[in-house]
Amino acid sequence: MARNALSFPASVAALRVLTLLLVFLPLRPLAARHDYYNALRKSILFFEGQRSGRLPPDQRVRWRKDSALHDGATAGVDLTGGYYDAGDNVKFGFPMAFTTTLLSWSVIDFGRNMGPELRNAVRAVKWGTDYLLKATAVPDVVYVQVGDAYSDHNCWERPEDMDTLRTVYKVDRAHPGSDVAGETAAALAAASIVFRSRDPAYSRLLLSRAIRVFEFADKYRGAYSSSLHPAVCPFYCDVNGYQDELLWAAAWLHKASRMREYREYIARNEVILRAGDTINEFGWDNKHAGINVLISKEVLRGRAEYFESFLQNADGFICSLLPGISHPQVQYSPGGLIYKAGGSNMQHVTSLSFLLLAYSNYLSHANKAVPCGETSATPALLKRLAKRQVDYILGDNPMGMSYMVGYGSRYPRRIHHRGSSLPSVEAHPARIACKAGSRYYQTPNPNPNLLVGAVVGGPNISDAFPDSRPIFQQSEPTTYINAPLVGLLAFFSAHP
């Protein structure tokens, strides 16, 4: 939470300023600026490498082919399409929905900075929403996963060869999942804004479906981790509870529809659903910081004074991220990278940086800053902090390497990703069976197929990165690492 109620001695304040300077100082000469637009193009291209289902004729990642063409058949529904979340071949609905929400938010806030890449970003959103519409076609049912994670993880197979169990999992009235259903509603509502002027009929479909899915999530409350524990845990187990997803969905529905009932829902449930809890978290499991930043935009524009507490929460979130302000859950590596305990740290780096940048823009338009003790967190300061994280990802770090595959001269070559690490179907037309792929997993050789734009889990707290396929916590890319990065790169490509 915010430390702005505390008074610090001058020596401590000076130390904080020094820490801020160290974090913001670039590790490369100022003349060697990054090509943010090139990185943006690649960050969006990555999503084409994660596609499941029948690929379109204009597919640009050519080493990928059609896969999982019978998904949903065992349940009598069509669940083809969507995204593989990371380096395996399971379709997990919870992170896929969050990915779609953040891709949509990137387009909503930063689409004007994307130039020709805006078209590809919108297509990436639609690949997600087309699937989510299939997953929510039956009223009071959300299909939340295709594939048995244990069966899948027992094999090292290309998605094109996949013969593991494609079990279909769903939440319904008897087996609720307010968390995954709430996130799905948020994704559909956010995407409806993306398509409002581009495809009004599609936008209306997304919004009406979002409303229906939210009503289901709210009426039949419960965590999908309880209803489907053996299938979703420990992979995407919702340890944070479903309450934040209900508020998150209501916030996006209010933004998309401007309907009074969602504003009243937020006001009525702010305390009950614990809007201010774990404020410095934001990701597929925990939406608290995102809720407060999203709603604060309305407050800062003078349109929703009754949501002032959300602004206070957002300010507290900002203060908790500033280098030099001690917070038990947010650290910085010696090289200046945001670090939170657990695997796949880059998901925290990109999602938290996205909120820093979004909030800085909201503050700029209101001509405001955030008081954090003796430090004033100005919009310019927040932008510098977000940019420092992006620059670290692109190569300004102690390892001197980019953590985005295909960007720069040195980047991860042995990412934990089945399709990238196995020979392509074009290079090796014969099927590669479940265990036959193990030798490709174990080899120290670089992956034969570049998954361009993939950002891996990243270095440890000491800025070290082994570039080792088996160390998946550091070498595996995910869609929800890239989704907020799209917005960040779009902004900095226009404001380097």
Side-chain angles (χ1 to χ4, degrees):
M1 293 299 292
R3 305 298 291 271
N4 53 349
L6 300 180
S7 177
F8 294 89
S11 58
V12 176
L15 180 61
R16 181 190 301 163
V17 172
L18 177 61
T19 306
L20 284 165
L21 287 172
L22 288 172
V23 169
F24 292 135
L25 283 173
L27 294 175
R28 60 163 53 206
L30 288 175
R33 291 194 171 189
H34 286 293
D35 187 345
Y36 298 106
Y37 196 78
N38 181 31
L40 170 66
R41 182 179 62 81
K42 290 173 175 175
S43 71
I44 298 170
L45 181 63
F46 160 75
F47 289 96
E48 294 193 21
Q50 295 301 110
R51 285 172 169 172
S52 179
R54 192 172 301 282
L55 304 182
D58 59 355
Q59 168 81 8
R60 295 177 295 165
V61 180
R62 305 302 294 178
W63 53 265
R64 279 296 323 283
K65 304 298 178 185
D66 297 347
S67 63
L69 297 180
H70 303 289
D71 276 2
T74 57
V77 291
D78 175 13
L79 294 175
T80 57
Y83 290 113
Y84 301 118
D85 71 298
D88 54 20
N89 299 323
V90 181
K91 290 194 303 205
F92 293 100
F94 200 9
M96 194 193 308
F98 178 70
T99 293
T100 306
T101 308
L102 267 290
L103 272 175
S104 297
W105 198 356
S106 289
V107 171
I108 292 164
D109 275 24
F110 305 109
R112 63 188 176 276
N113 303 133
M114 292 182 184
E117 281 304 309
L118 177 58
R119 175 178 174 272
N120 290 320
V122 171
R123 290 174 73 234
V125 172
K126 192 171 188 295
W127 194 269
T129 52
D130 282 350
Y131 176 82
L132 294 178
L133 286 171
K134 293 179 180 182
T136 57
V138 179
D140 291 345
V141 172
V142 180
Y143 292 96
V144 299
Q145 185 172 314
V146 182
D148 179 278
Y150 292 99
S151 173
D152 181 271
H153 292 177
N154 188 48
C155 296
W156 196 256
E157 277 184 317
R158 301 178 297 202
E160 295 83 0
D161 290 333
M162 194 178 3
D163 59 358
T164 50
L165 294 172
R166 300 303 286 174
T167 313
V168 174
Y169 299 93
K170 67 179 180 179
V171 295
D172 54 26
R173 295 179 183 182
H175 311 89
S178 301
D179 33 27
V180 65
E183 184 60 61
T184 301
L188 294 167
S192 76
I193 302 172
V194 171
F195 290 99
R196 184 180 288 157
S197 60
R198 294 178 176 91
D199 187 341
Y202 189 67
S203 175
R204 288 192 295 270
L205 172 62
L206 292 171
L207 183 56
S208 63
R209 186 65 58 82
I211 290 169
R212 190 176 82 186
V213 173
F214 175 72
E215 288 173 352
F216 161 66
D218 189 44
K219 185 175 182 180
Y220 301 97
R221 293 190 181 187
Y224 96 135
S225 302
S226 299
S227 300
L228 298 173
H229 192 275
V232 303
C233 297
F235 313 102
Y236 288 101
C237 200
D238 183 10
V239 299
N240 183 61
Y242 62 81
Q243 292 84 354
D244 54 327
E245 277 81 24
L246 290 176
L247 275 177
W248 176 240
W252 276 110
L253 279 162
H254 181 252
K255 185 176 178 67
S257 71
R258 310 310 300 175
M259 291 171 64
R260 180 177 174 180
E261 66 181 272
Y262 297 110
R263 184 189 74 202
E264 292 175 346
Y265 180 95
I266 294 166
R268 189 168 64 249
N269 288 282
E270 175 189 354
V271 175
I272 298 169
L273 297 179
R274 309 197 306 268
D277 284 10
T278 52
I279 184 62
N280 63 340
E281 288 277 351
F282 185 54
W284 61 263
D285 180 28
N286 192 323
K287 313 305 181 320
H288 285 99
I291 293 165
N292 289 294
V293 167
L294 183 65
I295 294 176
S296 292
K297 181 179 182 179
E298 298 296 306
V299 183
L300 288 165
R301 287 186 168 188
R303 297 177 181 171
E305 293 81 4
Y306 40 81
F307 286 152
E308 180 69 29
S309 57
F310 289 90
L311 181 69
Q312 295 169 6
N313 289 338
D315 285 353
F317 159 70
I318 293 299
C319 294
S320 77
L321 290 187
L322 291 187
I325 293 182
S326 175
H327 196 285
Q329 294 180 17
V330 181
Q331 304 174 66
Y332 282 82
S333 72
L337 184 70
I338 290 173
Y339 191 86
K340 293 176 76 70
S344 191
N345 180 60
M346 283 301 186
Q347 66 177 307
H348 305 300
V349 175
T350 60
S351 61
L352 295 175
S353 297
F354 179 91
L355 293 185
L356 283 171
L357 180 61
Y359 202 58
S360 74
N361 282 346
Y362 305 159
L363 289 168
S364 289
H365 291 137
N367 197 27
K368 298 262 175 104
V370 179
C372 300
E374 295 185 12
T375 298
S376 178
T378 64
L381 181 71
L382 302 187
K383 286 182 174 69
R384 285 199 300 274
L385 181 53
K387 187 172 185 288
R388 178 69 191 89
Q389 299 305 302
V390 172
D391 288 347
Y392 187 109
I393 292 171
L394 298 181
D396 291 3
N397 55 65
M399 293 290 290
M401 68 181 296
S402 159
Y403 288 105
M404 176 185 285
V405 174
Y407 181 87
S409 59
R410 186 170 177 233
Y411 49 81
R413 300 279 182 170
R414 299 162 189 84
I415 68 173
H416 183 98
H417 190 278
R418 286 158 175 76
S420 172
S421 66
L422 289 152
S424 68
V425 172
E426 192 170 303
H428 190 294
R431 181 174 173 275
I432 301 174
C434 171
K435 294 302 183 183
S438 298
R439 66 187 183 97
Y440 298 102
Y441 171 76
Q442 294 164 354
T443 179
N445 296 333
N447 290 6
N449 307 307
L450 277 187
L451 185 58
V452 173
V455 177
V456 296
N460 63 18
I461 186 63
S462 302
D463 298 297
F465 179 75
D467 195 11
S468 172
R469 202 172 294 110
I471 306 178
F472 66 90
Q473 298 92 336
Q474 294 182 254
S475 63
E476 187 170 21
T478 72
T479 57
Y480 46 89
I481 291 175
N482 272 54
L485 184 60
V486 167
L488 288 158
L489 290 169
F491 179 84
F492 291 120
S493 69
H495 306 89

